[in-house]
Amino acid sequence: MLAMPRLSTGPISKANPALLWLVCVVLGFSALNTPAQADPEKPQHVSLSADLARQQLLISWFGGTATTFDLIILRTEFNETVYYKARVSATVNRASGEYRFIWTSDVPLECTSLSVGVRSRDGQKTSEWSQNQIQGRDFPTNSRFQMYPQDRIVPVGANTTFCCIVEEGKVFKSINYSGTEIKATRLSRRSYAATAVSQTASGTTGSNVICLSTDNKLSGAVVFVGYPPLPSNFSCETHDLVSAVCQWSKERDTHLVGRKRETVFSIMGRSCAEKSPEQKCTLRQWDGNWTLVAVNPLGRHSLTDSADISHRVSPVAPVNLTSIAHAWNATLYWEWTYSSYSSLALVCQVEITSHGNKTELFSGGGLRSVVLSDLQPDEHYRVRIRCGSQRNFWKWGNWSQVLSFTTRAYVPNPPDVWMWMNRDNTGMVVWKPLTRQQSRGRMKSYTVTFWNLEEKLHTQVVPADTYSVPFNLSQMVSFSDGNKVEAKVVANNVDRSSEPSKVPLRLIDVEPLVFSRVVYGDGGFRLNWEHNASATCSYLVEWYDALCMRDCAVDWIPLAAGSTNVSIESENFQPGVRYNFSLYSCPSDAPELIQRWQGYTQELVPSSSCHLSVSQQKSDVILTWNEIPLADRRGYLRGYNVYMNNGFQLTLLSNLSNLGMRSYTVKGLPVGSYKFTVKAYTSAGEDSGTTVSIKMEDTDDLILEILASLGMVTLLLVIATVVCFKKRKWVKNAFYPDIPEPKLPSDWSRTPGPLDVKPSLHSMVHIVERPERDPSKDALVIIPEEDEDDEDQAVGDEPVDTDEPQSLRYYNDAVDERPIRPRFPDSSFSSASSVDSANTDVTYTGIQTSCSSLVFQLDPQSSAEGHQHHSNSCGGGGGVYWPQMHPTALGDTSGPASSEPLLDSQAACSGGYKPQNSWHLDSPTQAGGNNNSLGSPVSIASTQFLLPEEEEHEGEKRASATTWFSNLLSSSRP
């Protein structure tokens, strides 16, 4: 080592150039001889290894001579720093010189690629970064939709980060955890991460995490959130005195389901895979010390137990149970599965079930049978048994199977017998049904025997479900010397018969005692009576429904001698029902009625109202009502309330507490309408009431109104009579008109000839004068109405009622050229002859045909072949005109047709108008072959009059009044 010259520190007065040069040379050589400090060496052989399940990255390298390193981790795609630490604490393998560092990522390692750099550090000097990276699952060649982590198991309350790698070309939308969206962060071009915080326990199928793209495509993962195992109550016991059975219970549910996630239990390194409702594991040998270990993916828990085998004996259930049953007891037998129980001191518990449960205890060494006592005859029992160690009792063993058996029958108890007497000395012997314990076997029948002092009068056997037998005491005592008759009742079961129960029967010859009221309270009727010091007999209290008058359903209770009170309770008591109670002394010898009571368990309002009637007496109103039946009272009546009812409000007029008073008078009411309501009431309240109405009227004014009404009726009758007398002509014309007579003002005589005329629809005659006359057109035709404008109307239409008559016109000179439309089936068979007469139209009125039998010529060209006559039977009716033809007046037999068919059809009509029968033809038959009878009564040239004979005319007058309305209706226009 080179010696450095000593430098003076004092002031230099003068510079020495030689000395300065020497110093510079020495310093230069020193610098050349000192070596330069080099940078630390870069780490070599850096490698990366990923534990995807634990999200851990193992980084290893060789560092040469360096012992301190810096570490940096970046997301490769965005070059974002995830982790950086200077002077990391890396573990080193002294033998190989390898350094290792484990980094745990918050994000699954599959989410994106990571770049890792390591450099050596020496003080402030650092080496270059090593270059290495690990590939994620978001590289472009892996373009599918992905979600990480998959099937992760985490504890309750943890935070878990999930990442979603969107499908190539898709746009990320959201990440949802258990249906709730959570905030996401972008890690790379396609990767997004979101964290679920404070996770709660999942269901059996885990919690779902869903990643969605904008086009609703999705990918998902499942995470299981649960608890580590926590067993408790670990203990071991023995059943066979050799092996050990260890049991434990789960403290809580881990919420981890599935073979890979469930908890695994083991004892002393032996796996326990037994499946049972209780967690248990069987070990072949008793060790005395045991350790239970419970493990699941979230953790492990262990428990220990130790005990001596004699302190942990839990016997198994007895098997093969049998029994031998008697009437009052039974012996129970069983067997043990293990022979070691023959010397084991045991205590056993027997549970007996029959209409209730009871338990009996038995103890002994190697116990195999017990005797069950205090049983009931003919009773069905069910038993089971379990046992425990008598010394160092640990706990009861399991229950055995249930054994059923039935005890034998025995003599039944005597029945409780009483009697019920009607007022006519008839009655019933009644007894209470025996309970199962009392019957001591299935009941078969009852035997009832009636006895007097010396002999048996009558015996009757009734079925087991019958509990009464009627009797007639008057007939029975007539066969005996005394008046004492008793009934004996014997109960018969399937095995034996009971001792007889006796009850004396008595005649009722005294009036019953007065009933006292008794109040129901504390669950019963409390009855009290005075004590008779000399009385040595017992007592009996009977009760029944007070509404019953004959053969009542009676109940009773026997009491010991010296009793002075009793509380009567029964499940059959009903509210609103009155009950009668009777106290008898010496019921089994000579019953004597001592006292009677009546009472209700609960009083109710009456179920019906009284019938109310009302009447007026001058200015007073008298209300009367009847008594409410006992069945409808449902309590003790306290009285009646009388109200004035205005429809909206009831005003109390009076409260009648006297039940015998069932009428009330409301005095001094003015004229008007009133309503009254009467309500009966008990201690429970009023009934619905009955309402009546009355209208008050002044009696003097009523008589005057009646007289005034009679006077008005008389006056109206007088006025009607006077008016009808003054208008008698009008009345006669309206209801009894005269038949009009045809009048011919000029000479109508012509040569007789037949004239066929169609009957007119109407019965009026109009005479119309014509200024001109054309002999070639003389004819009698039908002229239609002026307002007949329907020319297409069908021929044969039925006539319609009208007020205007239809005219038949006869033309002596000219005929209207208008077409003729007949209103009935028409024929052209009509008179074509000329009639020399005045220019006059003749219309028949007042003569109406009611017969539709008309004769028409179908075709004027067919006259040479004959005529067709159509005749229909008449409809009947008065006032119908039928011209009558004498067969000898026709004379000419060479005509085209005979008139006999027409006469026959006309003769069939009845009740019509008939002119004189003595008319004759005035004009002969013309040469044309047409029989135009101008001498006919329908011809205006006839010399005969259209007048009926005297008796026929009078008949028509009598019929005119009855056909006036029908004529009026039938005269309507068609």
Side-chain angles (χ1 to χ4, degrees):
M1 183 175 179
L2 295 177
M4 294 291 294
R6 186 175 180 180
L7 299 178
S8 175
T9 59
I12 298 177
S13 62
K14 184 177 178 179
N16 189 347
L19 183 61
L20 292 176
W21 181 81
L22 179 62
V23 170
C24 290
V25 171
V26 172
L27 293 175
F29 276 103
S30 298
L32 291 174
N33 293 328
T34 302
Q37 186 176 2
D39 291 338
E41 183 181 359
K42 183 174 70 172
Q44 302 296 322
H45 305 292
V46 178
S47 64
L48 305 176
S49 176
D51 186 349
L52 299 179
R54 298 181 179 181
Q55 294 183 189
Q56 292 180 344
L57 183 62
L58 174 62
I59 307 170
S60 63
W61 69 91
F62 292 90
T65 60
T67 58
T68 305
F69 303 93
D70 294 344
L71 181 65
I72 187 171
I73 301 176
L74 303 94
R75 294 192 182 101
T76 303
E77 190 169 357
F78 287 168
N79 200 29
E80 294 177 348
T81 300
V82 179
Y83 178 81
Y84 172 77
K85 187 174 182 180
R87 300 179 178 88
V88 297
S89 298
T91 60
V92 60
N93 187 339
R94 298 294 181 180
S96 62
E98 182 184 21
Y99 289 89
R100 289 188 175 189
F101 181 81
I102 298 176
W103 173 68
T104 301
S105 174
D106 294 334
V107 179
L109 298 178
E110 299 95 337
C111 293
T112 186
S113 300
L114 298 175
S115 296
V116 180
V118 183
R119 68 182 179 183
S120 302
R121 175 177 287 276
D122 184 7
Q124 297 298 326
K125 292 184 179 181
T126 58
S127 69
E128 295 181 357
W129 291 101
S130 66
Q131 296 293 329
N132 204 346
Q133 67 176 357
I134 184 171
Q135 190 71 40
R137 300 291 177 87
D138 61 344
F139 52 88
T141 57
N142 189 4
S143 61
R144 61 187 179 86
F145 219 141
Q146 304 168 67
M147 190 78 184
Y148 299 101
Q150 291 285 337
D151 299 330
R152 179 66 56 84
I153 302 172
V154 297
V156 174
N159 300 336
T160 305
T161 300
F162 302 91
C163 71
C164 170
I165 303 175
V166 183
E167 184 179 350
E168 188 71 38
K170 304 297 181 183
V171 178
F172 171 79
K173 180 180 180 181
S174 64
I175 296 176
N176 297 332
Y177 179 83
S178 295
T180 303
E181 183 178 351
I182 53 179
K183 184 179 179 181
T185 302
R186 191 169 189 177
L187 304 179
S188 65
R189 181 176 60 86
R190 292 169 52 203
S191 296
Y192 296 84
T195 302
V197 298
S198 300
Q199 294 170 269
T200 59
S202 60
T204 56
T205 59
S207 299
N208 294 324
V209 187
I210 305 298
C211 179
L212 293 171
S213 62
T214 54
D215 59 352
N216 291 328
K217 286 192 174 182
L218 59 88
S219 179
V222 179
V223 60
F224 295 90
V225 185
Y227 297 96
L230 187 62
S232 62
N233 300 327
F234 176 62
S235 64
C236 298
E237 62 186 15
T238 183
H239 297 312
D240 58 359
L241 305 179
V242 175
S243 62
V245 177
C246 297
Q247 294 180 327
W248 63 93
S249 59
K250 294 181 178 180
E251 187 69 22
R252 64 186 177 190
D253 186 6
T254 62
H255 294 273
L256 301 179
V257 181
R259 187 173 58 84
K260 296 181 180 180
R261 294 174 289 275
E262 65 183 5
T263 302
V264 177
F265 297 93
S266 62
I267 298 177
M268 308 299 292
R270 178 182 175 182
S271 176
C272 296
E274 297 182 17
K275 301 295 182 180
S276 63
E278 292 185 356
Q279 304 294 319
K280 68 178 182 178
C281 188
T282 302
L283 304 176
R284 294 183 178 180
Q285 290 294 328
W286 184 271
D287 295 330
N289 295 287
W290 306 274
T291 300
L292 172 69
V293 178
V295 180
N296 73 2
L298 296 180
R300 60 181 291 158
H301 189 81
S302 62
L303 295 172
T304 61
D305 184 37
S306 62
D308 186 79
I309 190 172
S310 62
H311 294 174
R312 295 290 180 88
V313 177
S314 176
V316 294
V319 296
N320 300 330
L321 269 69
T322 58
S323 66
I324 298 177
H326 305 283
W328 301 99
N329 56 59
T331 304
L332 183 63
Y333 300 92
W334 66 90
E335 297 178 358
W336 293 111
T337 305
Y338 303 110
S339 59
S340 57
Y341 281 36
S342 60
S343 59
L344 181 65
L346 296 171
V347 56
C348 295
Q349 185 181 45
V350 180
E351 183 183 71
I352 306 172
T353 303
S354 176
H355 306 286
N357 295 336
K358 70 175 184 178
T359 303
E360 295 185 5
L361 293 177
F362 306 90
S363 61
L367 204 62
R368 293 177 181 273
S369 65
V370 294
V371 177
L372 306 177
S373 59
D374 297 330
L375 304 182
Q376 294 295 324
D378 194 46
E379 188 69 51
H380 184 74
Y381 291 96
R382 301 173 72 248
V383 296
R384 62 177 183 169
I385 186 172
R386 64 180 179 178
C387 298
S389 175
Q390 187 176 1
R391 294 189 297 266
N392 301 319
F393 182 84
W394 163 243
K395 65 179 181 180
W396 290 109
N398 295 329
W399 285 105
S400 67
Q401 296 292 328
V402 175
L403 173 66
S404 298
F405 64 90
T406 302
T407 55
R408 295 182 179 180
Y410 200 69
V411 177
N413 289 345
D416 187 2
V417 182
W418 185 234
M419 58 143 185
W420 168 260
M421 293 297 298
N422 299 315
R423 299 302 299 174
D424 58 354
N425 291 327
T426 62
M428 298 184 303
V429 176
V430 293
W431 58 92
K432 293 182 179 180
L434 298 179
T435 64
R436 187 173 183 85
Q437 290 76 16
Q438 293 172 339
S439 63
R440 300 173 180 175
R442 183 175 60 84
M443 290 302 302
K444 183 174 63 174
S445 63
Y446 292 94
T447 303
V448 182
T449 305
F450 295 95
W451 295 78
N452 62 7
L453 296 178
E454 299 178 354
E455 61 181 345
K456 179 170 64 175
L457 301 177
H458 175 67
T459 300
Q460 184 175 352
V461 178
V462 297
D465 56 352
T466 302
Y467 310 110
S468 64
V469 170
F471 64 86
N472 190 327
L473 191 57
S474 299
Q475 296 178 359
M476 290 183 181
V477 298
S478 63
F479 296 102
S480 61
D481 297 333
N483 292 331
K484 292 186 178 180
V485 177
E486 66 179 11
K488 296 181 180 180
V489 180
V490 175
N492 307 308
N493 64 15
V494 293
D495 187 63
R496 304 182 187 180
S497 298
S498 69
E499 293 293 327
S501 296
K502 297 185 295 182
V503 59
L505 308 181
R506 72 199 187 284
L507 291 172
I508 297 179
D509 53 0
V510 296
E511 292 296 327
L513 302 179
V514 177
F515 287 97
S516 301
R517 291 189 181 181
V518 61
V519 179
Y520 183 85
D522 296 332
F525 289 96
R526 189 72 178 178
L527 306 181
N528 297 278
W529 60 91
E530 295 181 359
H531 174 64
N532 187 355
S534 62
T536 59
C537 294
S538 61
Y539 293 97
L540 182 142
V541 177
E542 71 171 13
W543 63 90
Y544 56 92
D545 189 343
L547 296 177
C548 179
M549 294 290 106
R550 184 178 181 85
D551 295 340
C552 299
V554 64
D555 200 355
W556 64 95
I557 180 173
L559 302 174
S563 301
T564 58
N565 61 78
V566 67
S567 179
I568 305 299
E569 302 177 4
S570 176
E571 296 179 353
N572 298 325
F573 286 149
Q574 299 295 327
V577 177
R578 181 183 296 186
Y579 294 97
N580 291 345
F581 299 89
S582 301
L583 174 65
Y584 295 92
S585 65
C586 303
S588 60
D589 185 17
E592 180 182 356
L593 180 61
I594 298 176
Q595 193 170 345
R596 307 189 78 176
W597 297 268
Q598 277 187 343
Y600 291 89
T601 58
Q602 180 184 354
E603 290 192 58
L604 305 176
V605 298
S607 60
S608 67
S609 303
C610 54
H611 178 71
L612 182 62
S613 60
V614 62
S615 61
Q616 178 183 354
Q617 185 175 359
K618 295 184 180 181
S619 62
D620 299 339
V621 172
I622 301 176
L623 302 174
T624 58
W625 56 91
N626 61 348
E627 187 178 9
I628 298 178
L630 179 62
D632 298 335
R633 295 180 187 177
R634 305 201 299 176
Y636 296 112
L637 289 183
R638 303 296 180 88
Y640 302 92
N641 289 330
V642 183
Y643 296 94
M644 176 77 75
N645 189 342
N646 62 1
F648 302 97
Q649 183 179 4
L650 297 179
T651 303
L652 181 63
L653 298 179
S654 178
N655 171 252
L656 305 178
S657 58
N658 186 359
L659 297 179
M661 182 180 296
R662 291 192 295 274
S663 65
Y664 182 76
T665 302
V666 185
K667 298 182 179 181
L669 292 177
V671 176
S673 297
Y674 299 92
K675 288 184 179 180
F676 299 95
T677 300
V678 175
K679 295 184 177 183
Y681 64 92
T682 64
S683 61
E686 297 178 329
D687 62 9
S688 58
T690 304
T691 302
V692 294
S693 301
I694 187 172
K695 182 177 182 182
M696 298 291 293
E697 296 180 350
D698 194 340
T699 55
D700 296 335
D701 294 341
L702 179 61
I703 296 174
L704 293 177
E705 290 179 2
I706 294 173
L707 294 176
S709 299
L710 293 175
M712 290 296 294
V713 172
T714 304
L715 181 60
L716 291 175
L717 292 175
V718 171
I719 293 174
T721 303
V722 173
V723 170
C724 291
F725 179 77
K726 289 186 177 182
K727 298 293 183 179
R728 58 186 180 276
K729 292 184 179 181
W730 176 83
V731 173
K732 180 178 180 300
N733 292 331
F735 296 99
Y736 200 81
D738 293 335
I739 297 177
E741 298 180 359
K743 297 180 180 181
L744 305 177
S746 59
D747 186 10
W748 289 77
S749 60
R750 288 185 57 86
T751 304
L755 178 62
D756 292 337
V757 182
K758 293 181 181 179
S760 173
L761 291 175
H762 304 77
S763 59
M764 302 299 293
V765 178
H766 295 281
I767 300 176
V768 182
E769 296 294 337
R770 285 286 188 167
E772 298 179 358
R773 175 179 179 272
D774 187 358
S776 63
K777 295 182 180 181
D778 290 344
L780 187 62
V781 299
I782 298 175
I783 305 300
E785 299 277 343
E786 293 298 326
D787 56 354
E788 188 75 23
D789 54 358
D790 188 5
E791 296 182 359
D792 298 331
Q793 186 174 355
V795 177
D797 290 344
E798 302 229 352
V800 182
D801 293 343
T802 182
D803 295 337
E804 299 179 8
Q806 181 179 357
S807 301
L808 284 176
R809 299 184 180 178
Y810 175 80
Y811 297 96
N812 288 333
D813 51 359
V815 178
D816 194 352
E817 297 295 332
R818 292 179 296 178
I820 299 174
R821 289 189 300 162
R823 302 191 183 275
F824 295 95
D826 197 6
S827 98
S828 58
F829 180 77
S830 61
S831 177
S833 62
S834 299
V835 180
D836 295 330
S837 177
N839 299 333
T840 304
D841 290 348
V842 179
T843 302
Y844 287 86
T845 63
I847 304 172
Q848 178 178 349
T849 176
S850 62
C851 181
S852 60
S853 298
L854 304 177
V855 181
F856 301 100
Q857 182 177 349
L858 297 178
D859 191 355
Q861 304 296 331
S862 61
S863 58
E865 297 175 1
H867 301 281
Q868 287 184 354
H869 299 275
H870 301 273
S871 60
N872 296 325
S873 62
C874 298
V880 182
Y881 172 71
W882 286 101
Q884 300 177 356
M885 307 280 295
H886 198 281
T888 57
L890 296 177
D892 190 2
T893 60
S894 63
S898 173
S899 61
E900 290 181 1
L902 178 61
L903 295 177
D904 293 339
S905 64
Q906 292 171 349
C909 300
S910 63
Y913 172 77
K914 299 178 181 179
Q916 298 91 329
N917 296 328
S918 60
W919 62 277
H920 59 276
L921 296 176
D922 292 334
S923 55
T925 303
Q926 295 184 0
N930 295 327
N931 296 333
N932 297 327
S933 302
L934 296 179
S936 171
V938 299
S939 173
I940 60 174
S942 175
T943 58
Q944 309 296 327
F945 292 96
L946 297 177
L947 297 176
E949 295 180 357
E950 186 63 21
E951 63 278 3
E952 295 178 352
H953 185 63
E954 291 177 357
E956 184 179 0
K957 286 185 177 181
R958 287 192 299 267
S960 62
T962 60
T963 58
W964 180 71
F965 287 104
S966 60
N967 293 338
L968 178 63
L969 296 175
S970 62
S971 61
S972 60
R973 67 179 60 180

